[in-house]
Amino acid sequence: MFRRLFLGRVLLGAAGAALVRPAAAAEERFEVMRSEAEWRARLGPLEYRVMREEGTERAFTSPLNDEHRDGVFHCKGCDLPLYASKDKFDSGTGWPSFTRSLPDAVRTRPDRSFFMVRTEVHCRRCGSHLGHVFDDGPPPTGKRHCINGVSLTFAPA
Ligand SMILES: [Zn+2]
């Protein structure tokens, strides 16, 4: 009985560690670095969960889904310009989607959580999580940057 309980806790612990991963900034160096307390003070709970803990906002909840004006989408964590409105398209997924980022705006890394291998994408300057990149996008790149709206701010042209 005890042995079974112990094994269960070990397995639960391992699964928990795989699902709750440390924030990117805790592992890597970025041009803009803030402490966890600074990030928490700066961001709302959902923003913190998505941007610093690689969470995902619920589909169709971001007002930026329906943002069709000319302009630039900036990182909410450091204000770096990340995506141009001309590269935005309606993917039907419920998340703001882009065929590419602005030059030298984002970085990617393999994301092996949830028993899948996906390509995670984050801000080059502050490391904030943005979303994932998939290979099923439209021309000219064939890429789909599937981005959480809470990670972005929009500046109309
Ligand atoms: Zn940033």
Side-chain angles (χ1 to χ4, degrees), residues 77-98:
C78 73
D79 207 34
L80 183 70
L82 300 180
Y83 293 97
S85 58
K86 68 175 174 57
D87 297 318
K88 190 173 188 283
F89 69 99
D90 184 4
S91 63
T93 59
W95 289 283
S97 302
F98 304 87

Side-chain angles (χ1 to χ4, degrees), residues 75 77-78 123 126:
C75 174
C78 73
C123 171
C126 75

Side-chain angles (χ1 to χ4, degrees), residues 40-61:
R40 285 196 185 275
R42 189 183 177 91
L43 304 174
L46 177 63
E47 293 165 355
Y48 186 90
R49 173 80 194 98
V50 170
M51 294 166 64
R52 308 311 302 174
E53 298 180 326
E54 299 188 21
T56 301
E57 72 190 14
R58 283 191 13 236
F60 298 102
T61 55

